[in-house]
Amino acid sequence: MVSERIGLYIDRKGISYYAFENSINASRGAISKAVKENKSIGSSTLEQIMSVYTDLNPVWLLTGQGEMFVGSEEMMLNKSVETYRLKTDNAMEMQQIPLYDIEAVAGLVPLFQDSKAQEPIDHISIPHLPKCDGAVYVTGDSMYPLLKSGDIVLYKEIHDLKNEIFWGEMYLLSIDMSGEEYITVKYIQKSEQHGFVRLVSQNKHHQDKDVELSKIKALALVKASIRINAMH
């Protein structure tokens, strides 16, 4: 049923029915009532939904065939993707990776502690990537030119900091700096000091820094990055 699929789509996008109804100029409760009661939705409303939500696959919406989101070929026109694979990684055919706003979720620590409680701002769908837990926007220039501010990094959370660090790989991490959370992307290398790790930038203007492992409050292996290229 089309209304049921619209309900699934709204769920996957992580938006409220009220926001969805607003965005397509539908009266309040019109869509939520249709979904709950499995009622049909008028063709003019469906056209409005498809014109506003361009990532929604119309074939899937109307027939249930294929994928919920428009094929990645269309989505990739203005994106360049870099992947950072480990030999042990298995590529997934397709996955829906939630994109979070770090400022809205108040940092990596609460995000990693309970990602299910956080509302993603979007979902990213790219074929043949290793399994990822989520994605966030990068700020700062410590990994420039590999990453620049505004790029998106896709990550896999690391829970056992002592045993699961792959030396020399790129990580998204949260460090406790005198009670403040400092979020950055760095290569992690071994430190000569016991109980420390060395954080290394791609940007040569940034000094390498040794930090205590105990100061790292959240850690994730960077699996891929996306640069949105403005279309002229």
Side-chain angles (χ1 to χ4, degrees):
M1 190 79 181
V2 170
S3 56
E4 186 186 351
R5 286 191 285 278
I6 285 174
L8 291 172
Y9 174 77
I10 291 170
D11 243 23
R12 183 70 69 84
K13 292 286 278 189
I15 53 182
S16 67
Y17 278 98
Y18 177 64
F20 186 80
E21 288 157 352
N22 245 359
S23 68
I24 60 166
N25 299 321
S27 56
R28 184 157 189 188
I31 301 296
S32 59
K33 193 172 189 309
V35 170
K36 286 189 186 101
E37 297 175 7
N38 233 348
K39 294 258 172 66
S40 63
I41 292 171
S43 58
S44 59
T45 305
L46 290 177
E47 280 171 26
Q48 182 65 6
I49 290 170
M50 287 187 270
S51 72
V52 172
Y53 293 93
T54 53
D55 64 345
L56 176 58
N57 179 354
V59 176
W60 175 83
L61 178 62
L62 300 174
T63 69
Q65 301 295 308
E67 297 289 329
M68 179 187 291
F69 290 91
V70 170
S72 48
E73 293 76 21
E74 291 94 326
M75 289 176 62
M76 295 300 292
L77 285 175
N78 61 344
K79 295 178 183 175
S80 52
V81 180
E82 291 287 336
T83 56
Y84 312 101
R85 295 178 186 280
L86 296 175
K87 288 193 176 73
T88 51
D89 281 341
N90 292 319
M92 298 186 69
E93 187 64 35
M94 189 59 85
Q95 57 185 317
Q96 293 295 328
I97 302 162
L99 173 63
Y100 298 103
D101 178 346
I102 286 185
E103 287 179 15
V105 299
L108 284 186
V109 176
L111 174 59
F112 287 10
Q113 279 171 348
D114 191 6
S115 58
K116 289 187 174 59
Q118 308 296 345
E119 289 263 324
I121 47 178
D122 208 342
H123 284 82
I124 298 168
S125 184
I126 298 170
H128 310 304
L129 281 187
K131 173 82 176 77
C132 298
D133 292 319
V136 294
Y137 285 99
V138 173
T139 55
D141 64 350
S142 71
M143 296 305 284
Y144 187 83
L146 186 66
L147 297 174
K148 64 178 187 180
S149 207
D151 287 355
I152 296 169
V153 293
L154 291 78
Y155 60 81
K156 181 91 176 70
E157 292 171 32
I158 302 291
H159 300 290
D160 182 352
L161 269 62
K162 285 195 172 70
N163 301 308
E164 290 188 353
I165 291 178
F166 294 93
W167 302 110
E169 295 294 333
M170 191 178 2
Y171 286 86
L172 171 70
L173 61 160
S174 164
I175 308 164
D176 178 11
M177 305 275 272
S178 310
E180 293 284 312
E181 183 181 23
Y182 172 65
I183 297 168
T184 186
V185 178
K186 293 277 195 286
Y187 294 117
I188 295 186
Q189 296 180 356
K190 287 185 177 177
S191 167
E192 288 168 7
Q193 298 181 64
H194 181 69
F196 282 67
V197 294
R198 174 162 292 186
L199 304 184
V200 178
S201 301
Q202 177 87 8
N203 190 334
K204 295 301 170 222
H205 296 291
H206 287 246
Q207 295 288 318
D208 297 348
K209 185 175 174 61
D210 286 9
V211 299
E212 285 179 70
L213 196 56
S214 61
K215 295 276 189 195
I216 298 176
K217 299 303 179 190
L219 186 67
L221 187 57
V222 174
K223 290 293 186 184
S225 63
I226 303 173
R227 180 161 299 171
I228 311 295
N229 303 307
M231 303 291 275
H232 298 293

